[in-house]
Amino acid sequence: MIFTSEAPKTDVMIPLESHLSRQEIFDRYRRTKGAAERTHWQIIYLKSQGKLAKDIVQITGYNIDLIRKIILRYNEWGPDSFIEDEFFQDENGSDYLRKTNELDTARQAQQEMLATNIPAHPELKIDAFLKTATELSGDYYDFSLSSEGVLTMAVGDATGHGTTAGMMVIATKALFKDSADDCNLLSLIRRMSKTIKSVNLPSTFMHITLARYDQGTLKLIGAGMPPILLYRSRTKTVEDIVLKGMPLGSYTEFPYEQLDISLELGDTAFFMSDGLLDLLSPSGEMLQLDRIRKIFSEAGARSPSEVIAHIRKAGIAWRAGRPLKDDVTLLVLQRCAISH
């Protein structure tokens, strides 16, 4: 059997030859469409990020021997000759091809399930952006607008990458859609955490921020997510809103606390996943909160779409072509004059 979810107990570091730069590897991985090519380039792409073979097993589910074989062929044969099409002619290869195609199908299905329309609200302007680092997204955002005009939002980040994180995201979306309009935020987060813990996905939890806007008040509950940044239009300053809480699925009775803040006209709230904080420069330095706060303050008075464009531009410049190591989610909410 070619596929296994079990990582080896030992792992010998296999260096990757410098045939291509990380950006060139990333570009080839993104351009490939066939199952054989995509699988080979996915492994080389993950290896170029410094991951060990055992890490690639956890992310992809591929057999450790296959991963080592592909890396060694890349080292010896180079980027234009290392893809082994004939591998897919035998019985194991057919199984391998089938499961690779299943992963592509799962990725497409997850993207369709997570597709979220940003609701129109008479008092708010909203925009969001999500960029995945691997096949299945571990990040998530969602909205629910009640018939009374109360808007509930979720921004989440599952631990880990790959299939298990993708399953966690789908479970979280289902729970949110089922209960977002039926209970207060404290009841909602407790219900979600209890159910996720009962699912018992191994070593996987959901970090999440839940928010609810109603008539100028933003109610917030956090479960392990980065701070929310709040731009105050009156003072032109940025506040950090730190929400403390354990991720969903870790404890069933964690004492989550709700924070209520007042949003005045022009105030802008910025939600993010930690993939933005962890963006690496070519020297290996993380972007981190201090720089993000400054970047956000430069654009906080602009529209949400302009804020996101400004932050994305800064993030791209910071990593200077380095591939993403984690999913990145940005969500911006701004109170505006009531539209009729």
Side-chain angles (χ1 to χ4, degrees):
M1 181 69 68
I2 292 299
F3 283 71
T4 178
S5 60
E6 183 178 350
K9 294 181 180 179
T10 60
D11 189 19
V12 178
M13 171 65 79
I14 305 172
L16 189 69
E17 292 292 335
S18 56
H19 298 304
L20 298 174
S21 67
R22 288 178 179 174
Q23 183 61 47
E24 290 170 327
I25 291 172
F26 176 77
D27 290 341
R28 291 214 186 184
Y29 168 53
R30 286 300 186 191
R31 288 200 307 265
T32 56
K33 297 185 181 299
E37 287 184 81
R38 188 168 183 82
T39 298
H40 282 67
W41 279 111
Q42 181 189 22
I43 290 170
I44 299 303
Y45 163 59
L46 292 169
K47 182 63 182 174
S48 72
Q49 292 182 303
K51 298 188 183 299
L52 298 173
K54 66 178 182 180
D55 300 323
I56 301 176
V57 168
Q58 293 291 343
I59 293 171
T60 65
Y62 302 150
N63 181 279
I64 185 71
D65 294 331
L66 174 65
I67 289 168
R68 288 173 173 160
K69 182 178 180 181
I70 288 176
I71 294 170
L72 291 172
R73 279 183 63 88
Y74 176 86
N75 289 343
E76 181 178 357
W77 294 91
D80 298 320
S81 306
F82 82 106
I83 295 173
E84 191 177 11
D85 291 322
E86 59 269 20
F87 173 80
F88 293 91
Q89 302 305 315
D90 61 22
E91 182 179 352
N92 285 337
S94 298
D95 188 52
Y96 169 63
L97 179 59
R98 175 181 61 82
K99 292 187 177 182
T100 301
N101 285 329
E102 287 177 358
L103 181 61
D104 282 340
T105 301
R107 175 179 56 84
Q108 182 177 355
Q110 191 207 37
Q111 289 177 345
E112 292 174 355
M113 289 180 66
L114 297 181
T116 300
N117 292 325
I118 296 175
H121 192 285
E123 299 177 22
L124 300 172
K125 294 179 181 178
I126 309 167
D127 201 2
F129 168 82
L130 192 159
K131 178 72 171 178
T132 61
T134 55
E135 298 294 334
L136 297 177
S137 176
D139 275 15
Y140 158 75
Y141 68 86
D142 209 349
F143 306 93
S144 181
L145 182 62
S146 75
S147 57
E148 293 79 21
V150 177
L151 178 66
T152 306
M153 300 170 291
V155 180
D157 180 3
T159 55
H161 302 280
T163 306
T164 306
M167 292 170 62
M168 176 63 77
V169 167
I170 292 171
T172 303
K173 181 181 178 71
L175 289 167
F176 179 81
K177 287 299 187 186
D178 180 65
S179 304
D181 295 336
D182 297 337
C183 53
N184 60 50
L185 289 188
L186 284 171
S187 298
L188 175 60
I189 200 166
R190 289 169 184 153
R191 181 185 298 183
M192 293 174 72
S193 186
K194 184 176 181 179
T195 304
I196 286 174
K197 187 170 179 62
S198 69
V199 173
N200 197 30
L201 286 172
S203 302
T204 306
F205 308 99
M206 192 71 186
H207 301 80
I208 199 166
T209 296
L210 297 179
R212 178 168 287 163
Y213 177 84
D214 185 17
Q215 297 181 344
T217 299
L218 189 63
K219 304 177 186 293
L220 299 164
I221 295 180
M225 290 289 283
I228 299 162
L229 299 182
L230 179 62
Y231 179 85
R232 293 294 191 182
S233 61
R234 183 172 55 83
T235 60
K236 297 181 173 55
T237 57
V238 174
E239 302 173 9
D240 293 6
I241 301 176
V242 179
L243 303 169
K244 297 181 179 180
M246 296 298 292
L248 305 188
S250 54
Y251 296 95
T252 56
E253 301 297 334
F254 185 86
Y256 294 102
E257 296 181 358
Q258 178 178 298
L259 177 65
D260 295 0
I261 62 172
S262 176
L263 286 186
E264 299 177 1
L265 292 180
D267 287 353
T268 305
F270 171 42
F271 303 75
M272 71 189 109
S273 65
D274 62 7
L276 180 64
L277 295 163
D278 296 342
L279 287 182
L280 293 176
S281 70
S283 64
E285 188 177 3
M286 290 184 179
L287 186 57
Q288 297 188 332
L289 186 62
D290 287 345
R291 294 186 184 90
I292 295 171
R293 188 186 300 110
K294 181 177 183 300
I295 294 165
F296 174 56
S297 69
E298 295 168 350
R302 305 178 196 173
S303 70
S305 60
E306 291 174 315
V307 171
I308 287 178
H310 183 73
I311 293 170
R312 287 187 61 196
K313 182 178 179 181
I316 291 170
W318 176 258
R319 60 189 177 95
R322 290 191 64 156
L324 290 177
K325 296 188 69 176
D326 195 6
D327 302 338
V328 174
T329 297
L330 318 174
L331 189 150
V332 178
L333 175 150
Q334 184 178 80
R335 188 177 180 194
C336 58
I338 297 176
S339 59
H340 297 282

